[in-house]
Amino acid sequence: MADDGPLKMADVARLAKVSMSTVSRALADNPLIPEDRRREIQRIAAEAGYVINQSARSLRMRKTQTIGVVFPLGHDVGQLISDPFFIEMFGRLADEITTRGYQVLLCRVTDTSEGWLNRIIQSHRQDGLVIVGQSDQHEALNQAAESYHPLVVWGGHLNGQTYCSVGTDNIGGARRAVDHLLGLGRKRIAFLGMLELPEISLRYEGYVRALRAAGIEQDPALVIPAHFSFETAYEAARELIESGTEFDAIFATSDIIALAAIQALAAAGMDVPGQVSVVGFDDIAIAAQSTPPLTSVQQDLAKGAKTIVDLLFKRMAGEDAPSATLLPKLVVRKSCGGTSAG
Amino acid sequence: MADDGPLKMADVARLAKVSMSTVSRALADNPLIPEDRRREIQRIAAEAGYVINQSARSLRMRKTQTIGVVFPLGHDVGQLISDPFFIEMFGRLADEITTRGYQVLLCRVTDTSEGWLNRIIQSHRQDGLVIVGQSDQHEALNQAAESYHPLVVWGGHLNGQTYCSVGTDNIGGARRAVDHLLGLGRKRIAFLGMLELPEISLRYEGYVRALRAAGIEQDPALVIPAHFSFETAYEAARELIESGTEFDAIFATSDIIALAAIQALAAAGMDVPGQVSVVGFDDIAIAAQSTPPLTSVQQDLAKGAKTIVDLLFKRMAGEDAPSATLLPKLVVRKSCGGTSAG
DNA sequence: AACGCTAACGCAATCGATTGCAAAAGCAAG
DNA sequence: CTTGCTTTTGCAATCGATTGCGTTAGCGTT
């Protein structure tokens, strides 16, 4: 019984024959109320099926017990968050956040006009923000971070960056991947990815450095723009193949792009790793299962997510947490030939 | 300038030299305020970087512009939401929800003690709920639906169900899959899945009906409990193989389980589809990419998500939307032999 | 009995918006 | 200049909790 109308705290107070103040304090386990009475009130509230109205609580306390997770997608707007990498990151973040007793609000940004981030921040819907991927919003992030502290970004560490970020050493990871290909004797290495994205441009930097260190001249024809979706990446790879440009290896800036490239190569009758070696980035779960299994630069998402959330909570507590960089690891599988040559 | 302190509506009122009431109405595009004045006030607010505080708004309006998406996971508690099927469903739901101007709150239920659903509902953090998968909470759902209307469940349609659900015809889908295996001449068909979950038990029902219709006696030794995670499913398949029980086909109740089974079979030196045919369920993206490509019962998630959200919004508007069933489709690939025999 | 001190408790203000209702302003007709 | 009507505008109550501060109760001393 008594589960008809939505119960308010005043109702519980009436039931327990005390004031609202006392109920509020009792439910909050405030030691101002003697322990036995606290228990009693909690029991009465639970029995009546009473639950604190979070809207009211949030307003009064000026906190929501909620963390917003944002995927800017300044590029690829309106798309489903489909890349397994993002998805896994989201899952891990959700785990870390809920473990700490907070809720997760997914913010899909559909309107990236001037001030989009400020609009999210000022809505006060969340106590802190995780931004997954800088997209092309570096400047907006810098600006927002100036006055809003509880904010951590997953992405590369860029020049003139004032916000707190957590990310893999993109340059180093790419460098290691390309070095590996070079070690296998590959010389015409194609680069697939969108240079407009900061993280990708860092990977490009690693690619360039590896080539330079090996004394190999880089060929602009080998740098191909490719989005994160399977279809567009497949298309990009197909064009590379049909262009007639010679190449003996592909460094793809995400596993999805790598897998799409392998399919495109197979469709064109080219053997992987016989004719072309392929390396991906992220080391998502499917990488190990594909045919052939994919060599990839592994990002430790579990650790990344934990670091992000740790830093965020520090910042929410007013401390000033610094950015962090994770070390990538090259996982060698069959897609690039020799099991561990080089 | 003027982006230091969090602006309140009263501040905007002062800037615009009108009362708060007028600002509130202007920002809400209330025709009570003449259009030109509305525009003017909106401009002033935007320029000042003002954003409505959602906590306050939610409290007063008794609505949050937020939909909660819940993964009960009564089984497998504490796990990351890792199954690609759930993930894709989440992404599609998020798309449908944000498209309608609502936010998405992910509710990971960590405490399934008595009244967990009521606790979510009464917190008033959301205007409506989508529950993904009944888990083992059929009764709790039935009870909650009695007094809480804006709630739609993804899952099977069960006996004595009073809540609104959207789901694939599980019995029919399973029936079609098993019929296909039978058509290939398979007779010893193993069933991998957790019967405790309502949807899976419906798929079992389809499995049983198919066998019965073919006049084949079912063998309890062929029914193997298997969770949704790759590792546990792999273990389950390995045990089936090592048990020595003879079988020439596997009907897996999810693609992840099917993929794990294929790996386990390969590890045991058994050929798919030569010796054993395998069929999965869901037709997730990887299914087409695996080796061999997986035959699977396709669930149309895009349509499912749209239907769920459509029904939910109808219910939020007070209408009484009925449950819906989607028709599954068997996608035949190489993992079960003949390209389309049967 | 009077006093002092602490432990419990409740009053009422507060968080920041929305909105019913009444007042004010604007305008046309008499 | 009234009167009567419509269009604008603002006052003040409200949503449902939390909490600073003052009051009351309870108990031990002298």
Side-chain angles (χ1 to χ4, degrees), chain B residues 145-194:
Chain B
E146 224 168 87
S147 55
Y148 187 71
H149 273 74
L151 179 151
V152 177
V153 177
W154 167 265
H157 196 84
L158 309 178
N159 285 334
Q161 165 180 324
T162 57
Y163 50 87
C164 171
S165 75
V166 174
T168 299
D169 173 8
N170 287 289
I171 297 181
R175 173 82 199 252
R176 205 160 311 170
V178 178
D179 277 345
H180 181 72
L181 290 171
L182 291 166
L184 293 170
R186 303 302 186 176
K187 301 220 149 37
R188 302 276 304 163
I189 304 174
F191 177 97
L192 266 66
M194 289 206 53

Side-chain angles (χ1 to χ4, degrees), chain B residues 13 23 42 51 109 134-135 153 155-156 160 166 170 187 209 211 214 219 231 269 276 287 323 340:
Chain B
V23 175
Q42 289 168 3
V51 181
V109 180
Q134 285 135 325
S135 182
V153 177
V166 174
N170 287 289
K187 301 220 149 37
R209 287 193 197 171
L211 292 184
D219 179 353
E231 291 74 17
V276 179
S323 293
S340 72

